[in-house]
Amino acid sequence: MSNAALNARSDAILNARGQLASPESATSAVSWGAIIAGAVVASALSLALLMLGAGIGLISVSPWSNNNVSVATFGILAAAWFIAVQLFASGVGGYLTGRLRTRWVSVHTDEVYFRDTAHGLIVWGVVAIVTAWLLTSGAASVVSGAAHAGGAALEAAGTVAAGPATQIAGQAASSEGSSAAYFTDMLFRTDRPDTSGDPAAARAVVGRILATDTLSGEMPAADRTYVVRVVAARTGLSQADAEKRVSDVVEQAKNAKNKAIDAAKTAAEAARKTGVYVALWAFISLLIGAFSASYMATVGGRVRDDLPIAG
């Protein structure tokens, strides 16, 4: 036999040995049917448990009770509940995936362990995406409602900031336009206000002055002098008493404005802190869910293959 024939036969034997030593399966190592089944069950359990937690939270908190838990305690309980939901729901979904996936033939034990872990992690990823989509779609209506509520709150805060001055102005200020009416009034001011005129018109003029100056944070000397004269002429007070009354009203209006601003800042800071805590605990709960799904998938896979469960 020639050398060429011997070399050809040797190459064929080596290739055959290589194929027998490392067989390659034609099917994918990912059992998508088992993954989808586990993800569906995990999503349903998450939704059910979240609804249960919301119900328990609403029962434990009442606006008519003085024995409610503190905000910090409520936040800790909510975070613990989210972690428990992720731990249980993701674990069940991962276990079902491990039990339902097909048996991998002629695959090393370490590779089987890795594949089961990967299947559990994929289940967790699918559940996380589905949950995020549900929360995003559900939050759209909440954000819309919050926007309307926020607009109403800002309008109310503006009314409070204007204080008594805005209430004095009444409908006259809103009908004529506060800014344009304020500057128009300046054109027709007199050094001696007419006390025989319409009292409502005088009150509206003074109201526009107070509303504009209070919102700007400062009352010019010309406005103060005019308001003092109108108050003295309409009420019969002396010049000193009229000045004191005007100063007291302006100070009250400024205090009301400052209180409204402080309340808005406090609410914004509380919302910021709440957002930080929610994001942090959501991240921790998701990590716990990923670990639970991955580990329970390996448990389900070993039960499926009749192998001892790794400790």
Side-chain angles (χ1 to χ4, degrees):
M1 183 178 293
S2 63
N3 291 331
L6 290 175
N7 292 333
R9 177 173 294 182
S10 298
D11 292 341
I13 293 173
L14 291 176
N15 291 334
R17 288 181 178 178
Q19 292 176 359
L20 291 175
S22 57
E24 184 70 23
S25 176
T27 60
S28 173
V30 181
S31 299
W32 284 108
I35 289 174
I36 293 175
V40 169
V41 173
S43 300
L45 283 176
S46 297
L47 180 61
L49 292 175
L50 287 176
M51 292 299 101
L52 177 61
I56 295 175
L58 292 176
I59 290 174
S60 61
V61 177
S62 173
W64 310 111
S65 176
N66 295 325
N67 297 323
N68 293 326
V69 297
S70 64
V71 176
T73 302
F74 186 82
I76 293 174
L77 293 176
W81 183 260
F82 284 137
I83 292 175
V85 169
Q86 280 290 319
L87 187 65
F88 180 74
S90 298
V92 171
Y95 181 81
L96 288 177
T97 299
R99 288 295 300 272
L100 296 176
R101 55 90 172 159
T102 58
R103 182 189 295 270
W104 295 302
V105 183
S106 301
V107 178
H108 194 272
T109 305
D110 293 340
E111 179 64 20
V112 172
Y113 185 81
F114 171 79
R115 291 185 182 184
D116 282 331
T117 304
H119 275 62
L121 190 62
I122 294 173
V123 168
W124 168 81
V126 172
V127 173
I129 293 174
V130 171
T131 303
W133 176 76
L134 291 176
L135 291 177
T136 302
S137 60
S141 59
V142 176
V143 171
S144 178
H148 291 294
L154 289 176
E155 183 177 357
T159 303
V160 173
T166 305
Q167 297 179 0
I168 294 174
Q171 297 180 351
S174 59
S175 61
E176 296 184 37
S178 58
S179 298
Y182 169 74
F183 291 107
T184 302
D185 294 337
M186 294 178 63
L187 296 175
F188 296 96
R189 288 181 185 176
T190 60
D191 294 337
R192 295 182 179 181
D194 184 12
T195 59
S196 62
D198 185 8
R203 290 168 62 89
V205 172
V206 174
R208 286 191 287 270
I209 293 174
L210 292 177
T212 304
D213 293 343
T214 301
L215 291 177
S216 65
E218 182 180 0
M219 176 174 280
D223 289 348
R224 180 181 292 273
T225 300
Y226 179 79
V227 172
V228 169
R229 289 174 179 174
V230 172
V231 171
R234 288 292 177 181
T235 61
L237 294 174
S238 63
Q239 185 74 12
D241 292 338
E243 289 180 355
K244 183 179 182 303
R245 178 174 293 185
V246 171
S247 298
D248 292 341
V249 171
V250 171
E251 187 65 23
Q252 292 177 9
K254 288 182 178 180
N255 291 336
K257 174 187 175 183
N258 293 333
K259 287 181 180 179
I261 294 175
D262 292 339
K265 290 181 178 179
T266 302
E269 180 64 15
R272 184 190 67 82
K273 291 182 178 179
T274 301
V276 171
Y277 293 145
V278 168
L280 177 62
W281 284 110
F283 173 74
I284 294 175
S285 65
L286 286 174
L287 285 184
I288 293 175
F291 172 79
S292 177
S294 301
Y295 174 73
M296 291 304 297
T298 63
V299 173
R302 288 181 174 271
V303 173
R304 163 69 175 79
D305 296 338
D306 295 328
L307 295 175
I309 299 175

